[in-house]
């Protein structure tokens, strides 16, 4: 593996380890890889901000949105400073209070993180986990052939599979030829290939379910649709989720097959921001009590934020709750009330290259195949996002859906058989 791939997969390993109890001993031999993954996630969050003036607020966001432990945050900042991704770190009473970010573009970011990972002298287990995730993101592999194909130590393979199962980084499925291993990143990074395999080789019920997602990106995964629930639980389809007021997890299935391939792999942080917006908007459309809004109403929210002559929404008392998701994703800042003497916040778009691209991607996914006309008023834009509910990234949705009702392994057999050796690279 080259250094770029190693840095990228460190972030992916951290995404999986977020599913493991933070007090578990499983994490101990993977601590160095997890630290690099945390650094990658924080770097992607602050890239383009120039100055981070409230690092303690960032600490809270990183803990809530990225599962970066508050106790690890200072070490993450030191790692980023050592890499010269941030400059001018200011401390008060040993706490980071502000800094300037100089995070490079993703091509350089992951390469330098890969170098830092190597310098930490990763354990054998760390090396093998990174290699296994990278190989299985390319295509499924029969378990009995995984060690030889990926260059792994066969004696460590059972432990690797066990940790992979706990973290959801390695999934297995029983087909006629035996047990097959794959990574959810195979489906995440190859949605066009997966959609093609489903269409050409899957049974009708699976093909129909995937076709519905193609027709409506961010399709709510309803409890009655066992096929989509199963696909999400198996890690074969991207499904960011929003927690509804009653505590129910509501996933929104996506197959972003038409996107630039770099967004599916090396620029995944941008795509994840876009998917957060899609999930939030679809939640407001289907579960916020405003189902009469047109498809154009969804797009109007994004247009208002992207408008270079506007870029904000008029202040309201409930905005801190309503726009919490986009605030935590680093898309919006809460500015002071525009009214003289007012005490409400004004949601303002944080105009960075990544954020502008993320909103553009969300707009494209939502409007795919639809004619978008007109512009709505401020109230319409406000209503869409007012649930302010907790957001769950696709890897964490997968973990929370793992015990849901599923369909038989045999239903996926032809698809998995065709996927063997059909990776993107």
């Amino acid at each position: 593996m080259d250094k770029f791939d190693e840095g990228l997969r460190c972030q992916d390993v951290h995404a999986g380890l977020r599913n493991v109890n933070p007090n578990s001993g499983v994490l101990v031999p993977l601590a160095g890889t997890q630290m690099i993954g945390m650094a990658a996630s924080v770097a992607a969050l602050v890239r383009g901000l120039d100055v981070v003036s409230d690092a303690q607020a960032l600490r809270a966001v990183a803990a809530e949105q990225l599962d970066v432990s508050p106790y690890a945050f200072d070490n993450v900042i030191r790692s980023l400073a050592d890499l010269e991704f941030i400059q001018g770190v200011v401390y008060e009473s040993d706490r980071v209070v502000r800094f300037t970010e100089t995070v490079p573009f993703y091509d350089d970011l992951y390469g330098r993180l890969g170098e830092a990972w190597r310098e930490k002298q990763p354990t054998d287990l760390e090396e093998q986990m990174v290699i296994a995730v990278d190989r299985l993101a390319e295509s499924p592999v029969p378990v009995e052939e995984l060690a030889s194909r990926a260059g792994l130590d066969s004696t460590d393979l059972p432990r690797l599979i066990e940790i992979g199962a706990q973290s959801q980084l390695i999934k297995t499925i029983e087909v006629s030829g035996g047990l097959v291993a794959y990574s959810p990143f195979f489906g995440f990074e190859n949605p066009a290939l997966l959609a093609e395999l489903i269409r050409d080789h899957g049974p009708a019920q699976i093909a129909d379910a995937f076709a519905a997602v193609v027709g409506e990106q961010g399709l709510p995964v309803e409890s009655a649709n066992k096929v989509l629930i199963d696909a999400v639980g198996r890690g074969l389809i991207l499904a960011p989720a929003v927690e509804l007021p009653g505590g129910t997890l509501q996933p929104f299935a996506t197959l972003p097959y038409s996107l630039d391939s770099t967004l599916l792999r090396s620029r995944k942080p941008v795509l994840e921001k876009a998917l957060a917006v899609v999930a939030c908007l679809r939640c407001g459309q289907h579960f916020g009590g405003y189902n009469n809004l047109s498809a154009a109403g969804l797009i109007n929210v994004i247009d208002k934020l992207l408008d270079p002559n506007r870029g904000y929404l008029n202040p309201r008392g409930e905005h801190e709750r309503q726009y919490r998701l986009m605030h935590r994703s680093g898309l919006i800042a809460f500015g002071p009330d525009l009214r003289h003497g007012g005490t409400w916040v004004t949601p303002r778009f944080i105009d960075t290259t990544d954020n502008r691209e993320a909103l553009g991607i969300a707009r494209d996914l939502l409007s795919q195949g639809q004619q978008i006309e007109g512009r709505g008023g401020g109230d319409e834009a406000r209503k869409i996002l007012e649930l302010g509910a907790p957001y769950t990234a696709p890897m964490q949705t997968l973990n929370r859906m793992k015990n849901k009702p599923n369909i038989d392994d045999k239903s996926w057999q032809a698809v998995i058989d065709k996927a063997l050796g059909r990776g993107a690279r």
Side-chain angles (χ1 to χ4, degrees):
M1 291 177 65
D2 62 26
K3 291 182 175 60
F4 175 92
D5 288 335
E6 289 173 343
L8 174 68
R9 296 310 178 192
C10 283
Q11 185 174 19
D12 290 341
V13 169
H14 168 57
L17 294 180
R18 292 168 62 184
N19 292 320
V20 178
N21 185 322
N23 298 316
S24 172
V26 167
L27 301 178
V28 174
L30 298 168
T33 298
Q34 189 175 29
M35 178 61 67
I36 294 295
M38 289 179 181
S41 297
V42 172
L45 181 64
V46 303
R47 201 179 87 85
L49 295 180
D50 294 333
V51 177
V52 175
S53 58
D54 189 347
Q56 291 308 300
L58 175 65
R59 181 195 295 265
V61 170
E64 292 177 352
Q65 196 70 18
L66 304 173
D67 287 320
V68 173
S69 166
Y71 303 106
F73 181 78
D74 288 341
N75 286 334
V76 169
I77 294 300
R78 291 188 188 96
S79 296
L80 294 175
D82 290 343
L83 287 163
E84 299 183 345
F85 289 172
I86 64 175
Q87 311 281 342
V89 181
V90 176
Y91 292 88
E92 289 181 3
S93 301
D94 296 328
R95 294 194 310 167
V96 180
V97 294
R98 62 181 178 275
F99 57 83
T100 301
E101 68 82 18
T102 53
V103 179
F105 197 65
Y106 294 103
D107 288 346
D108 193 23
L109 169 66
Y110 289 119
R112 290 165 66 182
L113 286 168
E115 289 180 8
W117 180 69
R118 277 288 162 199
E119 290 172 0
K120 285 180 175 291
Q121 300 182 330
T123 65
D124 289 343
L125 182 65
E126 287 179 297
E127 287 193 346
Q128 296 202 46
M129 180 61 77
V130 166
I131 291 170
V133 170
D134 188 66
R135 178 60 185 84
L136 294 175
E138 182 179 343
S139 70
V141 177
V143 169
E144 62 182 15
E145 299 176 17
L146 180 57
S148 60
R149 286 201 191 183
L152 303 174
D153 186 338
S154 59
T155 60
D156 286 340
L157 191 58
R159 187 182 183 199
L160 201 65
I161 295 290
E162 180 184 357
I163 295 173
Q166 290 183 48
S167 62
Q168 304 299 308
L169 287 166
I170 299 176
K171 306 285 287 183
T172 57
I173 185 170
E174 185 78 41
V175 295
S176 58
L179 199 63
V180 172
Y182 65 95
S183 167
F185 292 108
F186 169 67
F188 292 3
E189 296 176 16
N190 300 281
L193 171 61
L194 187 61
E196 174 191 331
L197 294 174
I198 294 292
R199 183 194 66 215
D200 295 344
H201 305 288
Q205 61 172 340
I206 295 179
D208 289 346
F210 273 61
V213 177
V214 172
E216 182 181 334
Q217 297 293 338
L219 180 71
V221 179
E222 304 289 356
S223 58
N225 194 330
K226 292 185 177 181
V227 176
L228 283 183
I229 290 175
D230 191 72
V232 172
R234 292 180 186 271
L236 290 171
I237 195 167
L238 277 167
V242 176
E243 188 174 303
L244 300 181
T248 303
L249 185 72
Q250 178 57 58
F252 296 87
T254 60
L255 270 172
Y257 59 92
S258 62
L259 297 182
D260 177 350
S261 61
T262 63
L263 285 163
L264 302 170
R265 186 169 183 272
S266 59
R267 293 194 289 137
K268 277 185 284 193
V270 177
L271 177 59
E272 287 202 0
K273 285 188 176 186
L275 294 182
V277 175
V278 169
C280 188
L281 291 173
R282 290 296 190 198
C283 191
Q285 179 189 20
H286 293 286
F287 302 98
Y290 300 102
N291 294 355
N292 59 331
L293 286 173
S294 65
L298 300 177
I299 307 304
N300 291 331
V301 178
I302 297 173
D303 284 348
K304 286 182 176 299
L305 295 173
L306 288 176
D307 186 345
N309 297 314
R310 184 181 175 95
Y312 68 90
L313 297 171
N314 289 327
R316 284 181 177 270
E318 58 273 18
H319 271 342
E320 283 193 71
R321 175 182 58 84
Q322 291 171 349
Y323 293 93
R324 182 171 56 192
L325 167 60
M326 297 181 73
H327 179 261
R328 289 176 177 175
S329 298
L331 289 160
I332 282 177
F334 290 141
D337 200 323
L338 295 175
R339 304 166 305 148
H340 180 68
T343 59
W344 294 339
V345 298
T346 301
R348 288 186 177 276
F349 175 53
I350 299 174
D351 198 348
T352 69
T353 301
D354 285 0
N355 286 349
R356 187 162 284 276
E357 184 176 17
L359 287 186
I361 293 166
R363 189 186 197 283
D364 289 345
L365 289 172
L366 289 166
S367 62
Q368 224 164 51
Q370 299 174 359
Q371 182 70 31
I372 304 302
E373 300 175 350
R375 291 178 177 271
D379 283 348
E380 187 172 74
R382 175 183 62 82
K383 291 175 182 178
I384 287 289
L385 292 174
E386 72 177 354
L387 288 182
Y391 168 76
T392 302
M395 279 293 289
Q396 283 61 61
T397 304
L398 183 164
N399 187 58
R400 293 179 64 177
M401 298 282 284
K402 62 185 178 183
N403 295 321
K404 297 292 184 181
N406 54 42
I407 58 178
D408 193 271
D409 283 357
K410 292 181 180 179
S411 299
W412 297 98
Q413 181 168 319
V415 175
I416 297 298
D417 285 344
K418 291 295 181 181
L420 292 170
R422 286 284 304 274
R425 289 179 288 141

